[in-house]
Amino acid sequence: MHERSKAFSELRERFADRFTTDVATLVAHAGGKAHHAPANPDAVLFAESTEEVALAVSLCARERIPLVAFGAGTSLEGQLSAQRGGLSIDLSRMDRVLRVSASDLDCTVQAGVTREGLNQALVAEGLFFPIDAGVGATLGGMVATRASGTNAVRYGTMRENVLALTVVLADGRVIKTGGRARKSAAGYDLTRLLVGSEGTLGIITEVTLRLYAIPETSSVAVCGFPCVGDAVDTAIAVVQKGIPIARMELMDRRLVQAVNAYSGLSLAPRDTLVFEFAGSAAAVAEQIEKVETIAAAHGAVGFEWASEIEARERLWAARKDAFFAIVAQRPGGRGWSSDVCVPVSRLSECILHAQAALDTTQVPAAILGHVGDGNFHAVFSVDPARPEEMAEVARINSAIVDKALSVGGTCSGEHGIGTGKIDYLKRECGEQAIDVMLALKRALDPFELMNPGKVFSTSDPR
Ligand SMILES: Cc1cc2nc3c(=O)[nH]c(=O)nc-3n(C[C@H](O)[C@H](O)[C@H](O)COP(=O)(O)OP(=O)(O)OC[C@H]3O[C@@H](n4cnc5c(N)ncnc54)[C@H](O)[C@@H]3O)c2cc1C
């Protein structure tokens, strides 16, 4: 503690009020948005540059102080709890867009830039960055969790859209990975190693991203189905026919009711797909015709078009708030989200299996999904003070993951492992692969200072 206070004294001297031990600030940095138990860091530093992060990491490395990188705190798998205390390095003030190249369709940003902030900066250039995680998420946090979201069916995930990174390693060294070339066969792919590393291998300070032209035109429609199976089968057929849909999101009827109540919409209470079509006017017209035909063959109740920009934005904002809509179904509830992703051909059976499991509980819950790429969430509104209820939801969640793994899927399509899915990761990858991951972790962070207790259990052999 004496050693730790020495490093903290130096940080306080160097950063003045950007280094704080104020209790409300510690609590605000103790966890994300889901049910996992929070744990306060000992201090928080609001960093503004790569050099500042490197200095703070070096000081902490000297005295073996654990470090947790903090973006916007929207993560859902317990990634931010400071289980061994230490320093939370908040990157949200690193919010500068450093460079935009319209001719190369790329940009470089500081890690604390949000997707919304980036898109505001890009709109005048006719460009946008498509990946949308939780509202307000930072691009550094999105890299760290290998986020995806509603646009991934067309544009891929963070894995496909990150070209290069600047990273502060556990000993304070600064490295650059990748570059601006669209492809490279130069050595190990450290960029991909860092994408999805959840702050356990280094702190990302700058990100170079692919950009896209804003589509000439786009149309959004909501379509109800007699049952969830029909909705999912429609989504599968759209994917299998190779129709380049921009977004295709499932909301089961429970979710539609919750969203109507939470966001003041008046959608028909049915199992529903929300479609976005984007491209040239002719391409959009062609996509719509094909999708309407497929949907009709699966008993679609009819397309409701959101033609005004405001109506579209309202609909997508409500969809993005779906997690909170479910949570709000009971006073004081906390969200618990499963996050499996399966081969699309097995999606229908997995969602029906999950729905049957949800039917067995009184805990408010609903299903939503980025069904175009086989990723869906069963979201529960839980009361963490009720152990029996938590055990029941854990059992249901486990059954959903087991089913996904049995058909070749994954326990996490986009939210990451954190503390919540450590055992599932083991089941999914097997011990040998976990050993390789741990060897990489040891090589880059031998004293386990970078976000300790996440991705791997502290009891895993080192
Ligand atoms: C309502 C809601 C909807 C959501 N929808 C989606 C969705 O559609 N798709 C999706 O993928 N996710 C979604 N999420 C989850 C969440 O938004 C993502 O996990 C997001 O990527 C987290 O970004 P953040 O900036 O909030 O990171 P934080 O929550 O602050 O941190 C997340 C993890 O990344 C690490 N980290 C943060 N910044 C850095 C950095 N610069 N360097 C190294 N490590 C870092 C942290 O240590 C932590 O381990 C949703 C969440 C909510 C609440």
Side-chain angles (χ1 to χ4, degrees), residues 31-34 67-76 78-80 89 91 111-112 131-150 158 197-200 202-205 207 249 319-324 370 375 377 413-416 418 451 454:
K33 295 279 183 265
L67 293 150
V68 184
F70 189 98
T74 67
S75 49
L76 296 172
Q79 281 105 335
L80 291 167
I89 300 188
L91 294 115
I131 315 301
D132 59 341
V135 174
T138 63
L139 287 154
M142 290 169 65
V143 175
T145 55
R146 206 186 296 137
S148 50
T150 59
M158 291 307 279
S197 61
E198 303 188 27
T200 62
I203 299 185
I204 296 151
T205 56
V207 186
E249 296 284 305
R319 165 59 193 85
K320 287 310 289 181
D321 277 343
F323 175 85
F324 297 118
H370 313 301
N375 185 198
H377 312 294
E414 57 182 18
H415 296 162
N451 209 1
K454 315 301 158 50

Side-chain angles (χ1 to χ4, degrees), residues 263-278:
S263 298
L265 299 186
S266 48
L267 301 172
R270 293 200 179 94
D271 297 304
T272 294
L273 287 176
V274 187
F275 296 102
E276 183 165 305
F277 305 91

Side-chain angles (χ1 to χ4, degrees), residues 19-37:
F19 173 86
T20 177
T21 53
D22 161 63
V23 175
T25 310
L26 301 184
V27 170
H29 288 77
K33 295 279 183 265
H35 65 286
H36 302 283

Side-chain angles (χ1 to χ4, degrees), residues 240-261:
Q240 287 172 340
K241 292 254 183 275
I243 301 169
I245 192 118
R247 305 200 230 191
M248 186 163 52
E249 296 284 305
L250 171 75
M251 304 200 284
D252 78 353
R253 74 182 60 206
R254 289 181 253 230
L255 178 61
V256 171
Q257 282 161 345
V259 161
N260 280 345

